[in-house]
Amino acid sequence: MTNAELLQLLSDVRAGRVSDHDASAQILARIRQLPFEDLGFARVDTHRELRQGFPEVVLGLGKTPEQIAAIAERIVGHGQALLITRAEPAAFAAVQAVIPNAIYHPAARVITLPQGEVPRGNGTILIACAGTSDLPVAEEAALTASAMGNDVDRLYDVGVAGLHRLLNEQARLYSARAIIVVAGMEGALPSVVAGLVQVPVIAVPTSVGYGASFGGIAALLGMLNSCANGVAVVNIDNGFGAGAMASLINHL
Amino acid sequence: MTNAELLQLLSDVRAGRVSDHDASAQILARIRQLPFEDLGFARVDTHRELRQGFPEVVLGLGKTPEQIAAIAERIVGHGQALLITRAEPAAFAAVQAVIPNAIYHPAARVITLPQGEVPRGNGTILIACAGTSDLPVAEEAALTASAMGNDVDRLYDVGVAGLHRLLNEQARLYSARAIIVVAGMEGALPSVVAGLVQVPVIAVPTSVGYGASFGGIAALLGMLNSCANGVAVVNIDNGFGAGAMASLINHL
Amino acid sequence: MTNAELLQLLSDVRAGRVSDHDASAQILARIRQLPFEDLGFARVDTHRELRQGFPEVVLGLGKTPEQIAAIAERIVGHGQALLITRAEPAAFAAVQAVIPNAIYHPAARVITLPQGEVPRGNGTILIACAGTSDLPVAEEAALTASAMGNDVDRLYDVGVAGLHRLLNEQARLYSARAIIVVAGMEGALPSVVAGLVQVPVIAVPTSVGYGASFGGIAALLGMLNSCANGVAVVNIDNGFGAGAMASLINHL
Amino acid sequence: MTNAELLQLLSDVRAGRVSDHDASAQILARIRQLPFEDLGFARVDTHRELRQGFPEVVLGLGKTPEQIAAIAERIVGHGQALLITRAEPAAFAAVQAVIPNAIYHPAARVITLPQGEVPRGNGTILIACAGTSDLPVAEEAALTASAMGNDVDRLYDVGVAGLHRLLNEQARLYSARAIIVVAGMEGALPSVVAGLVQVPVIAVPTSVGYGASFGGIAALLGMLNSCANGVAVVNIDNGFGAGAMASLINHL
Amino acid sequence: MTNAELLQLLSDVRAGRVSDHDASAQILARIRQLPFEDLGFARVDTHRELRQGFPEVVLGLGKTPEQIAAIAERIVGHGQALLITRAEPAAFAAVQAVIPNAIYHPAARVITLPQGEVPRGNGTILIACAGTSDLPVAEEAALTASAMGNDVDRLYDVGVAGLHRLLNEQARLYSARAIIVVAGMEGALPSVVAGLVQVPVIAVPTSVGYGASFGGIAALLGMLNSCANGVAVVNIDNGFGAGAMASLINHL
Amino acid sequence: MTNAELLQLLSDVRAGRVSDHDASAQILARIRQLPFEDLGFARVDTHRELRQGFPEVVLGLGKTPEQIAAIAERIVGHGQALLITRAEPAAFAAVQAVIPNAIYHPAARVITLPQGEVPRGNGTILIACAGTSDLPVAEEAALTASAMGNDVDRLYDVGVAGLHRLLNEQARLYSARAIIVVAGMEGALPSVVAGLVQVPVIAVPTSVGYGASFGGIAALLGMLNSCANGVAVVNIDNGFGAGAMASLINHL
Amino acid sequence: MTNAELLQLLSDVRAGRVSDHDASAQILARIRQLPFEDLGFARVDTHRELRQGFPEVVLGLGKTPEQIAAIAERIVGHGQALLITRAEPAAFAAVQAVIPNAIYHPAARVITLPQGEVPRGNGTILIACAGTSDLPVAEEAALTASAMGNDVDRLYDVGVAGLHRLLNEQARLYSARAIIVVAGMEGALPSVVAGLVQVPVIAVPTSVGYGASFGGIAALLGMLNSCANGVAVVNIDNGFGAGAMASLINHL
Amino acid sequence: MTNAELLQLLSDVRAGRVSDHDASAQILARIRQLPFEDLGFARVDTHRELRQGFPEVVLGLGKTPEQIAAIAERIVGHGQALLITRAEPAAFAAVQAVIPNAIYHPAARVITLPQGEVPRGNGTILIACAGTSDLPVAEEAALTASAMGNDVDRLYDVGVAGLHRLLNEQARLYSARAIIVVAGMEGALPSVVAGLVQVPVIAVPTSVGYGASFGGIAALLGMLNSCANGVAVVNIDNGFGAGAMASLINHL
């Protein structure tokens, strides 16, 4: 409730257009107002778009297909763009039943439905990944960034064991406004990339590897300990988080 | 064996109503008496209700359906209320075969059968959870608290990333006598809740999350390190433990 | 700002006793009002007593003696009771310079100054510890509970390797309204105590031990995995947290 | 090769009963002799019985049914007793095909075939476990100890949350020559038992539990940090190891 | 070596202004040229400013005072701005001996010397911290961001246990172009902040805490598992890294 | 209280030699009797010798010199043998002030005073250690076993990297009734020893090593995972625990 | 691009045989040239053979069968030897469809196709493993070393619990030029082997074991902490890595 | 004892030149002979040189200065080269008192004394390190390799954040026969180096770093998970181990 609104209301009170009780109720109501819809098992944050520039994104993990579909229905019902991550095929089936034109990206386990006006980012977000096995996470990042209004450039399988594959593409590195680097195993790629460029690097460790990779811990630690400047890290396999962070940066 | 009972017995000895040998045997027997029933693979603690206010609760995890059903039969046979947690459908099938009116709550994997007189708690136990995925654990807590004689209020999907969803419900927070807060991922909700209220908060980390959530360790550590006063923690996913703790508090 | 206050203000507006701009400013000011004092490096929460029943408690750890003394001065200046934990002798020297009657408890590294009216708890809080080495943490809990208005009963060195030491004191266990159990090494004492009583048990793991005790992790895990009902856990060595939690329970 | 044998051989050399080359070969052969049978994928240690008092025991884990059966066949072929642990039903099927009278104990996943003369232990080995879920590991220990020639006494479901169940059986504790204590969750039972008796206690942590039990780590750490004397620990779920250790002690 | 330069060189070759051998040597030299100065124990990257917008920053940790001073001397000798982090007083003494006007910030353990032209960032970087103990890390971030040409706003001691302290300052949150959030213990502040704003949040876990904070692991995990969008994390206590990342973002 | 005592008492009651109230009090008193001495900060278990064959042993770690001296005084005052482990020189000074003939073993940080009649073990306990750095722990084990009435044989610096040093001493291995093996780093020695002998092996991991030895975790895990039969493990650096365990075995 | 090539090109420029623009383009092209083939999801490093002596090896883990087959096709298309590790049967089916004479080694999950001229190593690589369960990893190492042109000697099931099985084969140990030692559980075998020989030992921890083996961590730590000289370690279950390392050594 | 020696002995027996008893004693003596010197606290392996090509190296860590000096004296007394690692100044003082010409290298904490004939390696060992802080470990490796008869080339401060520093020195990489790469923090350098060369790379993680570097764990995991072929790893900070391994390789 802004100062202007308050002044208008108070002037209405003085003019007798609004009673004291009504005005009091109105002010308290605005404070108490529900910027979400309560489904019992979930509170859909329908004002997220206003507050953060993109509607609420649904994390499919740990929700039943029925819950996912019900939440999706509300979001789409508000005319907002739909983005669901970690969606298994069964979840997509349930969503498709209520939103027939929803699109499934199986490699990334992502469901999308473009809707409404999403503001465009200012530059390109480059998404680099170290190996073919990192592709699902890289795609989750790419689809997220794309859904949030950004141009996306994909640079895949450029791990540090064959440096020439990366050095060969320096031009693409230099033309990005933000770079997402996805890597498993020892997670060294973000350090090398950040040493070459002058834009923020979002590092995404993946659970790719075996043995002492410990489901991505090795890559995570490698990235947190990067000796290069301009690297920040998101959770293991969190392609979505990297895409959202890069999008915020690209919209500045 | 109380002093009064002993005095009575000794007076009986003096009066010749009881022989020395009988009295001695009687005293030793009371010390040795078995307040449990031995099934070979399990010792059902039939005196738990007397000692702790609620009959023995059965943890289904790691027991075969046959073992669970056999234990349940004894408890119900003593006229006591039945509460089984971590019960898979196969366990319920075995229980139902011997206790036809047992009730299964599939989301929480809990079996209940209200029986006997359970003393009522003094106030309401509020159960808050951060996200939809925490619901199974929250329900285990709610069903436990409810079975143990408490009024329960459920407040779900009020995680800290959309604070207004929680702040909007402060009245419900203030009207509870004990609060259970269930959260996965970073487990920040208990700190925020405990900063707002003046009653004990039982925090339950859940295994919800991925990557560096490490099956609930992130949430557990977050809760143990809470900067707010009045927070104590139970095991990851231990909705039952939180419900039992809150019930003890609410019965004081 | 309550409904009654708002109605009064609006009636003042209508009557011309308050201008629109003043009323608007007044409402916004109340929303923006500062329930804390800003020292630059710290914001002393002077309304904590109102909100949570006890003034802000100062954690000495990580603060310089000067910072601790400055914060303490503000709290005492508001006529509120002082409680500082993890206070090294140097911190006490700095505090004493500005608050000469402050009291230092060296074993527990706690500074206290009783002031104002602290509401009394309803029963006794029993503080049990497993070994002599757990004493500093137990004392932090005891001093905290005591400062917060509770009667405290100390039962020390009753570890499970000599069960008769504990069983001998069952009467004291039964007469408590809440029990704090402090233990290092394997941390088994809370399970045994909780199996005997019908009141909530707050378990405090200590960093006492060596080798695979890992600075209290062994005890912490033991307590989180307690097979007994009615146990909740606070951080390793967090005597303060246990005392505060038990006090909240005892004030219900 | 003993001194006596060598002297005899040398006297044979001098007497011409044995040529130099033969004697040299004979000495080197004895040094190189094979006290095992080489199956390519395994070297069956057929002299283990002589060296350690019981034939080689087969750990089924990680071996194919075919490999297990082939090894079992060699052991039985030498007239030695058979003991296979961690044997899945498919492994038993393969063993039974070549050793029809082998016996399968499904709860413990153990295969046995008594054969030959196993020396008897001197006293009784008591096997206590904390809960019903610990039974498979306890049975592995019991079957191992039994196969190795020991009298075994089983005392199950006597966890510390209901102390009277254990205290009621002190006589059985006192009559054992070695005690194996099997427990999951917080693993507190060995400390309590060792505080009551005067014989060695072998503690076996089990992977029973959930959340912060971390597959038995909590119990393992609890046991390693036992505040009681006379406790030593074997690997998580290693019922076999405990049985073998207790048997060695009981044969002293 | 750009295409234009190459064409010019080749035209010089054709015109006889440059011999073949000279041209060949010149091309190879440019490829081999040393954009660093070799001190034996260190290679000072004097072209870092060109490549990444700010001269090489010296991490004092693990270097001797002599090594630090020698490196600092080279940087300052090139007329570049000096920034040394993790500098103990002994290191500053050594630096001051060769660079008398260097400035020491003891709380943050940072040495600075503004020199040359540092490009200004576009907006303000807000640095929020949860508690007074997080101040050294927050100051390292603030000094880094400031040295790199950014306006900095400090918002300290706004932890989640007293939410009103943060909510009261939302205007400052909204006016920042990038936000650094520094927190120890449960590390919940970044989630709450990121839920309120629309700009990137760089989260810095600190080693503040005790017991199960494990030197900052609890805070680190909490931040990596943030349920809010737009959060990326740097290493524990890495105020410098956060400042450098925020500066890159603010210069876009 | 035995049956015989009870019968006598009851006969006294009948004969009027003891009143009902006196008898009742006497019975209850015996149940409540204190088999320990309460020093406030410690409960000295003066009946431990009766119950477990050796008086209470004092763990010096975490106790003040004054507390250690006070406890020691009580034990010696009962005419019992004294054994204090983890005793720093300051603790010995305090003990010596009240018990002048106490003996200090600095390498093992152990204080002893032989007193009373300690029953002799049946055979020899061999104590092997892998390297010179393991000596303090090995000596703690040796002094413990010796104080508890056992013959001790020391075999030091026989690590597996030079197998001939161990194989050369097989005769001593074979003549022991129980073997304690102390090793740090990879902790492989117990497996090799247990593969050669037919008696129980108590393995003691030490914190000797660096880097990925993690303060003894590597050795601990190696020993828990021993592929040899007849190995049980005690806590890292727990020479005392191994000595006590071996003594129990040697007294069977 | 070598000096000689450059001089030739420049002489062509001067002679007018090559235009300036062509020469410039040619130089830049060589710098930018692609020593890999871009499949979109993968960049096949077709020059790896030149650079490292063996064509790119495909890690099957985390790749779809279609991706594996496509990469394999390119490698074979270049006439290079094929080696795919961690190949499940489905992957082999896809490979076989395009490369009918590819060979599958199911125990090791390896696909091979010998092609082209692979340079021979100088000596024999011995591959020792501790138990039958380590066989799959040992075979991966053996097949890798063999494919890379080395003579391989297999010595299986020679774990330290039965030392005579290893000591009996010392001749084979002494005749190797490099030794790979594969072991799970406590991972002690490399220390014992390295103590006997004078050639480099590559240690491979396996995930064989249970409980506190933690999926190979125990073995990994044991090997990293080896008290013997001349041991270096590769990742858990990384038979391929050991084979490749040993091959490099054997080709020196 | 070889076959030839045995045949000679037997021929002596037959000829009467040696009596039966003498021959028997001689054979047994050779088997029992002590290839070490027993100092009580240590067994100096004086035959190590014969067996492994270099005399026993002394690890100073965990030994008292007196023990170190005594061991050193024996080694030098046998005319063998002396190498002591992890030697603090106090240890050197003790060594110097008995071996005046011993040399101390303080940065690496190494004591050396060249003596006798050490066989020369075949090529050069290159030692690369990522940062100035890794220098002490790199020097330990260099001094070890040098003492063992190898030519050493040092390439320091070539971390991956400034790739040009490394790429500039490719010629030195290519001319080495074995490469030791020392790095802390994210430990990415070995992967990059191994991707460029065709010789074995020994990776040494260092404890350099802070926060989530966890004393070198991050670097260790990064190196174990290297995506490049031909990398094997030694313990954290184990410069000696890397030097010894590289020397074995270089002597092949």
Side-chain angles (χ1 to χ4, degrees), chain E residues 67-152:
Chain E
Q67 292 171 334
I68 294 173
I71 298 172
E73 210 174 359
R74 300 300 164 105
I75 291 171
V76 170
H78 283 90
Q80 295 180 326
L82 180 68
L83 179 60
I84 308 176
T85 61
R86 306 278 169 128
E88 300 302 330
F92 178 59
V95 168
Q96 210 178 18
V98 295
I99 310 169
N101 51 342
I103 305 160
Y104 191 47
H105 309 260
R109 291 181 298 166
V110 161
I111 299 171
T112 55
L113 181 68
Q115 271 207 142
E117 196 74 21
V118 175
R120 302 297 304 170
N122 299 309
T124 296
I125 295 175
L126 178 79
I127 294 163
C129 79
T132 301
S133 314
D134 302 313
L135 208 139
V137 177
E139 276 301 301
E140 189 183 277
L143 290 166
T144 298
S146 185
M148 289 181 171
N150 303 281
D151 291 328
V152 164

Side-chain angles (χ1 to χ4, degrees), chain C residues 186-212:
Chain C
E186 81 267 64
L189 190 57
S191 294
V192 171
V193 169
L196 296 170
V197 301
Q198 213 175 127
V199 295
V201 169
I202 316 297
V204 192
T206 67
S207 53
V208 168
Y210 59 89

Side-chain angles (χ1 to χ4, degrees), chain C residues 158-169 189 192, chain D residues 163 166-167 192-193 195-196, chain F residues 45 51:
Chain C
V158 291
V160 301
L163 265 188
H164 60 293
R165 297 181 299 190
L166 177 71
L167 298 179
N168 195 61
E169 304 279 14
L189 190 57
V192 171
Chain D
L163 265 188
L166 177 71
L167 297 179
V192 171
V193 168
L196 296 170
Chain F
D45 188 349
R51 213 166 68 250

Side-chain angles (χ1 to χ4, degrees), chain C residues 161 185-186 188 191 195 212-213 218 222 225 227, chain D residues 161 186 188 191 195 212-213 218 222 225 227:
Chain C
M185 303 179 96
E186 81 267 64
S191 294
S213 89
N225 287 285
C227 55
Chain D
E186 82 266 63
S191 294
S213 89
N225 287 284
C227 55

Side-chain angles (χ1 to χ4, degrees), chain A:
Chain A
M1 180 161 254
T2 63
N3 195 13
E5 288 172 330
L6 253 178
L7 285 175
Q8 176 60 48
L9 183 62
L10 293 170
S11 131
D12 288 350
V13 165
R14 183 197 302 270
R17 285 191 295 272
V18 175
S19 75
D20 285 11
H21 276 91
D22 282 5
S24 172
Q26 209 172 322
I27 294 171
L28 291 174
R30 289 299 292 274
I31 292 172
R32 283 198 200 106
Q33 75 191 317
L34 287 175
F36 55 79
E37 243 182 291
D38 193 343
L39 308 187
F41 59 85
R43 291 167 189 248
V44 184
D45 187 349
T46 48
H47 284 224
R48 177 82 53 104
E49 187 167 8
L50 224 86
R51 215 168 66 251
Q52 303 206 302
F54 193 79
E56 184 169 3
V57 176
V58 185
L59 171 65
L61 189 82
K63 298 198 181 74
T64 64
E66 292 69 36
Q67 292 172 333
I68 294 173
I71 298 172
E73 209 175 1
R74 299 300 164 105
I75 291 170
V76 170
H78 283 88
Q80 296 180 326
L82 181 68
L83 179 59
I84 308 176
T85 61
R86 306 279 169 128
E88 301 300 332
F92 178 59
V95 168
Q96 208 178 20
V98 295
I99 309 169
N101 50 342
I103 305 160
Y104 191 48
H105 310 260
R109 288 181 299 165
V110 161
I111 300 171
T112 55
L113 181 69
Q115 271 207 143
E117 196 74 20
V118 175
R120 301 298 305 170
N122 299 310
T124 297
I125 296 174
L126 178 80
I127 295 164
C129 79
T132 301
S133 313
D134 300 314
L135 207 138
V137 177
E139 277 300 301
E140 189 185 275
L143 289 166
T144 297
S146 185
M148 290 181 170
N150 302 281
D151 291 330
V152 166
D153 183 18
R154 288 162 169 90
L155 180 58
Y156 290 174
D157 200 16
V158 291
V160 300
L163 265 188
H164 60 293
R165 297 181 298 190
L166 177 72
L167 297 179
N168 196 61
E169 305 279 15
Q170 294 194 51
R172 286 165 72 187
L173 292 178
Y174 295 146
S175 68
R177 196 155 189 259
I179 300 180
I180 294 171
V181 181
V182 181
M185 302 179 97
E186 82 266 63
L189 189 56
S191 293
V192 171
V193 169
L196 297 170
V197 301
Q198 212 176 130
V199 295
V201 170
I202 316 296
V204 192
T206 67
S207 53
V208 167
Y210 57 88
S213 90
F214 299 132
I217 295 182
L220 171 63
L221 295 184
M223 291 170 179
L224 285 170
N225 286 285
S226 175
C227 55
N229 298 349
V231 178
V233 187
V234 296
N235 197 359
I236 298 165
D237 289 338
N238 190 3
F240 162 72
M245 181 76 174
S247 176
L248 274 186
I249 293 172
N250 196 33
H251 280 80
L252 285 179

